[in-house]
Amino acid sequence: MSMGKKNDNTLVKNASFLMVAALISKLIGMLYKSPLSTTLGKESFGLFQFAQSAYFILLMIASFSIPQAVSKIMAEKIAFKRYRDAQRVFHCALIYAAVAGGIVALFCVFGANLLVPDNMADARLALQMLAPTIFLSGILGVFRGYFQAYRNMMPTSLSQIIEQIFVAVFALLMSHVMISHFSGQGEQTVQRWAAAGATMGTGAGVAAALIFMFIVYGLNKKLISRKIRRDRESVNESYSSVMRTIIIIVMPIIFSAFIYNVNGYVNSYMYTGIMGYKGMADDVIQGLYAEQGFFMTLINIPLTLASTAPTSMIPEVSAHYARRDLPGANAKIHRATWVSMLISIPAAVGLAVLSGPITRLVFPSTNGVGGELLIIGAITIILNGNSNISNGVLQGIGKPKIPMIHAAVALVADVIVIALLLFFTDLGIYNVVIAMIVYAVVMCLLNERSMKKYMRYKNPWKSAYLYPLLASVPMAVVAGGVYYGMYYLVHSNVLCLGVSVILAAFVYFVVYLLLSRPSAEEMNALPGGRYMKKIARVLHLS
């Protein structure tokens, strides 16, 4: 009994480490883009964003699934004290990562012309600068998977934070160095090299994280070697059979991750290509694409916040489903949906109402389009929050192909919509956000249908969606009223935003408690729930 409990505690602690690290990394990732956009200027920031979106797809092919595969295969060996076999998996994974990373890195250098359309040609250098990063990322992924297999999440968590700090510092530093160095050689040259300098930050981050992992591995090597020497259980699997196992596990994860994430890159490529074909000037395309980058950066924070708690609940859903306890599994899904929507809905409404001021605060170079994209696209926070949970549930109950097929269908719908809109309307960059919404809606509807089929699932509309939505209405009135009322008197964007956000959050919290009257158990499930309970008691709301 106590052993089971200890394992549960370890799982919770490990999940917490990774969740906190992911959140800190995302926050650093958002915060540095604000000064970076100012340093680079809009066109150069647009080039940087495009190079990053192409890099992300290449990275996915090279190394995205490596940590999961390594930790899964090694953990199975370690469970049976087969430490030598586990070490062999580690060595094979390093070979796989070096070969796959090397091939994709070479394609990044020599295939940049294929990945970046002609009217964004200045982003090609920035993408080529990321080739060494692709190679190193796979090796870093192997080390992360190695420590996760030994159930030590601390190295992975710390390496993620170290990586993001180095990314931020070096992106700002190197873009500044490039701008100074090429300042006399024409605006286009400066923009191209400034974007390339910014992508060097990504490489510095991965290199720093890898050095940290080498040090941690060195510190643990003696202990692991002792376990290997005492190993009497290993069957000394051949390298070829280990490599075959790695590839069998890696390929479906790569394919599904590719399908889930390729829509952003496809939309970018189609937008830049078709607008160029229609005669729009390259610098205008780059500037508008930068505005799209501002919008994406801003919605990523609430998406991360909303998905951390539900992610840790998915294994519980799997456990209930394995025992054929559908009511128990559905109760966990309801709880995950409730936590996600409690954050997603007010975040979406708040960002839409204060879109202009927030975009101006974080990205001073905006021309207002980023704020308008945020008004239209804020709903994707709610839709993606929903589909993140349903994807996790369907994968957790052993149906990983279903959300993958749904993502492929949603991608086809996305491509058709964006192609028609770009050719037959003058909405330009707004089409990218409309296509994102179409993709998310299709994904949600198809996943919902499958959950009904396999789990007899009923969506908790009232408790999970209606109460947060109703509480967001007075919150929106207060947020807009206080901000614009104060701004009329005091022309300080920071001060007016700060006061309006604090008051709006307080109103949301009070109205939500009045409407839903959550139980003590429900309050405990929330991040910071203990403090909320105390405030609710003081206000006589519980």
Side-chain angles (χ1 to χ4, degrees):
M1 176 65 189
S2 63
M3 189 65 202
K5 197 154 191 174
K6 190 179 167 193
N7 283 346
D8 284 349
N9 289 341
T10 309
L11 281 170
V12 169
K13 210 157 72 176
N14 285 343
S16 303
F17 276 146
L18 286 176
M19 276 158 52
V20 170
L23 193 55
I24 293 169
S25 302
K26 276 271 164 59
L27 282 167
I28 297 168
M30 186 194 91
L31 292 172
Y32 92 89
K33 282 188 178 167
S34 173
L36 184 66
S37 70
T38 310
T39 303
L40 291 178
K42 255 223 331 250
E43 286 84 359
S44 193
F45 187 75
L47 298 173
F48 164 75
Q49 282 286 128
F50 197 98
Q52 286 283 349
S53 69
Y55 156 76
F56 184 56
I57 296 301
L58 291 174
L59 187 67
M60 205 162 281
I61 296 164
S63 65
F64 189 78
S65 50
I66 288 283
Q68 286 164 280
V70 172
S71 66
K72 180 181 163 60
I73 305 165
M74 280 185 65
E76 285 167 5
K77 315 283 184 210
I78 292 163
F80 293 101
K81 297 189 167 49
R82 289 165 54 189
Y83 299 109
R84 198 179 306 110
D85 285 347
Q87 201 69 6
R88 191 162 282 195
V89 172
F90 173 59
H91 293 150
C92 276
L94 282 172
I95 295 164
Y96 171 85
V99 172
I103 293 166
V104 177
L106 287 170
F107 179 68
C108 181
V109 174
F110 298 107
N113 290 5
L114 297 170
L115 293 163
V116 182
D118 288 343
N119 54 358
M120 291 291 269
D122 288 339
R124 285 169 187 163
L125 177 65
L127 179 59
Q128 287 166 327
M129 287 284 186
L130 287 161
T133 314
I134 291 168
F135 177 72
L136 294 176
S137 289
I139 296 163
L140 174 61
V142 174
F143 277 95
R144 283 177 172 164
Y146 180 86
F147 287 107
Q148 284 171 37
Y150 280 101
R151 301 189 70 171
N152 182 2
M153 300 296 174
M154 201 50 130
T156 296
S157 302
L158 287 174
S159 73
Q160 283 177 345
I161 295 166
I162 289 166
E163 181 181 343
Q164 274 305 325
I165 291 169
F166 273 79
V167 168
V169 171
F170 274 81
L172 291 165
L173 180 69
M174 292 311 297
S175 55
H176 193 76
V177 166
M178 292 298 178
I179 289 166
S180 305
H181 188 267
F182 291 95
S183 59
Q185 297 187 29
E187 198 178 344
Q188 200 174 355
T189 305
V190 172
Q191 284 172 4
R192 185 166 70 245
W193 280 96
T199 60
M200 286 177 190
T202 312
V206 171
L210 189 54
I211 291 164
F212 171 75
M213 282 302 207
F214 278 145
I215 293 165
V216 176
Y217 180 73
L219 294 171
N220 283 272
K221 200 165 190 294
K222 213 176 268 182
L223 180 70
I224 305 284
S225 298
R226 198 180 307 134
K227 285 182 172 177
I228 292 167
R229 276 199 308 277
R230 292 175 183 169
D231 179 1
R232 299 286 174 271
E233 304 294 327
S234 281
V235 295
N236 297 330
E237 279 178 272
S238 70
Y239 276 97
S240 59
S241 92
V242 173
M243 193 65 86
R244 205 164 38 244
T245 309
I246 290 170
I247 291 166
I248 286 166
I249 288 176
V250 160
M251 286 307 155
I253 302 173
I254 288 178
F255 186 67
S256 58
F258 182 81
I259 292 284
Y260 287 137
N261 294 289
V262 76
N263 68 309
Y265 170 69
V266 169
N267 289 347
S268 309
Y269 197 99
M270 288 179 73
Y271 163 72
T272 49
I274 293 171
M275 294 316 286
Y277 171 78
K278 286 175 84 173
M280 186 182 272
D282 290 0
D283 59 340
V284 177
I285 291 172
Q286 289 160 16
L288 287 170
Y289 188 72
E291 294 285 340
Q292 155 76 1
F294 299 163
F295 154 72
M296 288 300 294
T297 305
L298 288 168
I299 65 163
N300 268 334
I301 294 297
L303 270 177
T304 307
L305 270 169
S307 66
T308 48
T311 305
S312 61
M313 294 179 191
I314 298 306
E316 296 180 45
V317 175
S318 307
H320 282 286
Y321 186 80
R323 294 196 299 268
R324 293 281 170 263
D325 174 17
L326 289 185
N330 283 326
K332 294 293 179 197
I333 302 167
H334 286 178
R335 178 64 57 87
T337 309
W338 174 69
V339 173
S340 179
M341 290 307 133
L342 199 62
I343 300 165
S344 300
I345 291 172
V349 173
L351 280 173
V353 170
L354 297 172
S355 58
I358 289 169
T359 312
R360 281 200 305 278
L361 176 72
V362 183
F363 299 106
S365 62
T366 183
N367 61 8
V369 172
E372 289 166 8
L373 292 172
L374 199 50
I375 294 171
I376 303 164
I379 193 169
T380 56
I381 297 168
I382 300 167
L383 295 168
N384 287 338
N386 178 295
S387 64
N388 279 345
I389 293 168
S390 53
N391 280 347
V393 168
L394 290 167
Q395 286 166 354
I397 64 168
K399 311 272 184 213
K401 284 185 182 160
I402 292 171
M404 201 162 80
I405 293 162
H406 293 170
V409 173
L411 180 63
V412 171
D414 172 299
V415 168
I416 292 168
V417 166
I418 197 168
L420 291 172
L421 289 173
L422 283 169
F423 276 117
F424 299 112
T425 72
D426 294 323
L427 291 168
I429 194 70
Y430 300 98
N431 291 325
V432 177
V433 178
I434 294 165
M436 271 177 68
I437 295 168
V438 168
Y439 179 92
V441 167
V442 172
M443 200 68 199
C444 287
L445 292 174
L446 292 176
N447 280 0
E448 180 92 8
R449 198 183 65 170
S450 291
M451 280 165 68
K452 275 184 183 144
K453 180 180 173 184
Y454 292 106
M455 304 194 66
R456 299 199 287 278
Y457 175 73
K458 283 194 180 73
N459 204 308
W461 292 110
K462 191 178 175 186
S463 60
Y465 293 85
L466 184 63
Y467 291 142
L469 199 58
L470 291 173
S472 295
V473 174
M475 179 204 81
V477 173
V478 169
V482 170
Y483 176 83
Y484 290 104
M486 273 187 74
Y487 197 76
Y488 184 73
L489 302 168
V490 186
H491 285 300
S492 167
N493 193 21
V494 180
L495 179 67
C496 298
L497 258 182
V499 174
S500 65
V501 167
I502 290 164
L503 287 175
F506 178 74
V507 168
Y508 173 75
F509 175 63
V510 171
V511 176
Y512 179 79
L513 288 178
L514 279 169
L515 290 171
S516 70
R517 300 280 174 181
S519 66
E521 189 197 348
E522 285 174 327
M523 292 284 270
N524 286 336
L526 291 173
R530 279 213 317 274
Y531 303 107
M532 288 187 179
K533 240 178 10 188
K534 284 177 187 169
I535 298 166
R537 216 171 291 129
V538 170
L539 297 169
H540 304 294
L541 294 170
S542 70

